[in-house]
Amino acid sequence: MNTTKRKRLEAKGWKVGSTADFLDLSPEEAAYVEVKLALSKRLQAARRGKNLSQEQLAQLLKSSQSRVAKMEAGDPTVSLDLLVRSLFALGTSRKTLARILG
Amino acid sequence: MNTTKRKRLEAKGWKVGSTADFLDLSPEEAAYVEVKLALSKRLQAARRGKNLSQEQLAQLLKSSQSRVAKMEAGDPTVSLDLLVRSLFALGTSRKTLARILG
DNA sequence: TGACTCAATGTCAGATATGACATATATTGA
DNA sequence: TCAATATATGTCATATCTGACATTGAGTCA
C-alpha cells in the first residue's frame, strides 16, 4: 500500500469503522487491512484475557505502552510482523493465528 | 527478533535448512520464522503456478526482481507485510492464507 | 477534590525494510 | 557450444517502522 492511501485511511480513522467503509481500496488492500485489524482485536483480547496493562505487555515485548496502544488501535504504522510476533509472545499458537485469519 | 539473532541466522543461511536446525530460538521466534518460510514457499508456488517470472511478478507488485527473489528465499530483510500483500496480489484468499499458517 | 492507574495520541531520532541497480550464476533451447 | 532468459546475491539511498518520550484524558478510589 502506498503512503498516499495510508494517509487517507489514517485521516479517516480506519481503525474504528467496519472495513466495508473503506472506499476505493483494491480487494488486496482491503484484505490486508482486514487481516491487520483482526490481529489488532485479537491482541487486545489476549492481553485483557491475561489481565495485563498495555505497559506490562510492552515490557514483555520490550516495546512501549504507546506502541502497544497503536497496535491495538490498528495504527497504520504498525507492521504485521510486530502484530504477529506480539501474538506469539502472548502464547498464541500458529493454529490459533490461522483461525484468526480464516 | 533482534538484529544480532537475525544476522546469526542469516550467516547460517536459515532459508535452506529445516526450521528445527535453528538453535537457541525461542518458541515465539521459531514460530515467526516458520510462518515467514511457509509464506515464502507458497509465494513461489503461486508464482510458478501462474507461469510468471520473478520479473513479471515484480511488475505486478511494483517491486523488483531482486526483492521477489529475496521473498522466495526467505531473506530476513523481507517483512511479513510484503509477503502477505504479495500473496493477496496473486489472488490468495484469506482462507487460503489461514490454511498456509495452520 | 486530588492522587493514581490506564490508555490514546503526537513527535522524533534511530533502526529496519524497500525498490532499484549491478552483477553473478543458473537454466533453457537451438 | 552459444545466447537468451531466469534467478540469486550484494549494495545503497530512501521510505517506513520502531521504541521512547511527552502529554492528554478518562476512570477509580479515598
Side-chain angles (χ1 to χ4, degrees):
Chain A
M1 187 165 17
N2 61 47
T3 301
T4 310
K5 216 151 246 172
R6 270 209 163 151
K7 294 305 177 195
R8 211 174 335 124
L9 282 176
E10 195 164 10
K12 266 213 134 193
W14 61 274
K15 55 194 174 286
V16 286
S18 121
T19 42
D21 297 342
F22 314 139
L23 287 87
D24 83 331
L25 277 191
S26 69
E28 307 93 84
E29 286 171 332
Y32 168 72
V33 171
E34 283 167 17
V35 163
K36 284 183 68 171
L37 287 178
L39 296 181
S40 294
K41 305 272 188 215
R42 184 65 176 221
L43 180 67
Q44 184 171 73
R47 174 180 66 81
R48 287 181 171 162
K50 301 207 166 200
N51 282 316
L52 296 176
S53 65
Q54 289 183 344
E55 179 60 38
Q56 288 173 314
L57 176 55
Q59 283 182 294
L60 180 66
L61 301 174
K62 285 164 189 165
S63 181
S64 61
Q65 179 269 325
S66 58
R67 190 127 300 268
V68 171
K70 279 158 190 158
M71 283 195 248
E72 294 183 354
D75 188 295
T77 73
V78 173
S79 71
L80 263 184
D81 296 70
L82 186 59
L83 283 168
V84 168
R85 282 191 280 114
S86 298
L87 282 167
F88 282 149
L90 276 174
T92 304
S93 68
R94 269 181 75 175
K95 198 172 271 188
T96 299
L97 180 62
R99 240 177 262 123
I100 300 171
L101 300 190
Chain B
M1 186 165 19
N2 62 46
T3 301
T4 311
K5 215 151 247 174
R6 271 209 162 152
K7 294 303 177 194
R8 210 175 337 124
L9 282 175
E10 194 164 11
K12 265 211 134 194
W14 60 275
K15 55 192 174 285
V16 287
S18 122
T19 40
D21 297 342
F22 313 142
L23 286 86
D24 81 335
L25 278 190
S26 70
E28 308 93 83
E29 286 171 331
Y32 169 72
V33 170
E34 283 167 16
V35 162
K36 285 184 66 171
L37 287 178
L39 296 181
S40 293
K41 306 271 188 216
R42 185 64 177 222
L43 181 68
Q44 183 171 73
R47 175 180 65 81
R48 287 180 172 162
K50 300 207 167 203
N51 281 317
L52 296 176
S53 65
Q54 290 182 342
E55 179 60 39
Q56 288 174 313
L57 176 55
Q59 283 182 294
L60 181 66
L61 301 174
K62 286 163 189 163
S63 180
S64 62
Q65 179 269 324
S66 58
R67 191 127 297 268
V68 171
K70 279 158 190 159
M71 284 195 247
E72 294 183 354
D75 188 296
T77 74
V78 173
S79 70
L80 262 184
D81 298 69
L82 186 59
L83 283 168
V84 167
R85 283 191 280 114
S86 298
L87 281 166
F88 282 149
L90 277 173
T92 303
S93 68
R94 269 181 74 175
K95 198 171 273 187
T96 300
L97 180 62
R99 239 176 263 124
I100 300 171
L101 299 190

